[in-house]
Amino acid sequence: LCSGFWKLSRHINYLGEIVQALAIALPGVVATGQLWGLAYPLYYVCLFVPRQKDDDEACKAKYGAVWDTYVKLVPWRIVPGVW
């Protein structure tokens, strides 16, 4: 897990989903000038932030010290360099 995309953040796949939702929503926002389209990527943010915390707790319980080592090697949760 400490190589490839997984060395960038522990849940890099969640970032991909959020970016994809943003890419789908932005043309509608730009075309209409209304921000309602951003509800779609915001939904994913609201879904994945709590899920990431639950996933980390489950991995900590399952893998123990090995998970702690991984967290030290990969400190970013979803967004590399930010959070």
Side-chain angles (χ1 to χ4, degrees):
L1 283 177
C2 294
S3 64
F5 288 116
W6 301 107
K7 72 179 177 183
L8 301 174
S9 79
R10 296 192 301 266
H11 303 279
I12 194 76
N13 55 317
Y14 294 173
L15 178 61
E17 291 284 343
I18 294 166
V19 169
Q20 179 181 353
L22 189 60
I24 291 170
L26 276 180
V29 172
V30 171
T32 65
Q34 296 185 5
L35 299 178
W36 287 106
L38 295 178
Y40 180 52
L42 182 61
Y43 162 77
Y44 278 112
V45 170
C46 293
L47 174 74
F48 288 139
V49 168
R51 181 173 173 177
Q52 169 274 314
K53 291 178 181 178
D54 293 341
D55 287 349
D56 279 7
E57 288 175 12
C59 287
K60 168 76 174 150
K62 184 174 182 177
Y63 300 111
V66 174
W67 181 255
D68 292 336
T69 302
Y70 177 60
V71 169
K72 287 178 185 172
L73 292 172
V74 183
W76 308 111
R77 296 172 184 226
I78 297 176
V79 183
V82 178
W83 186 73

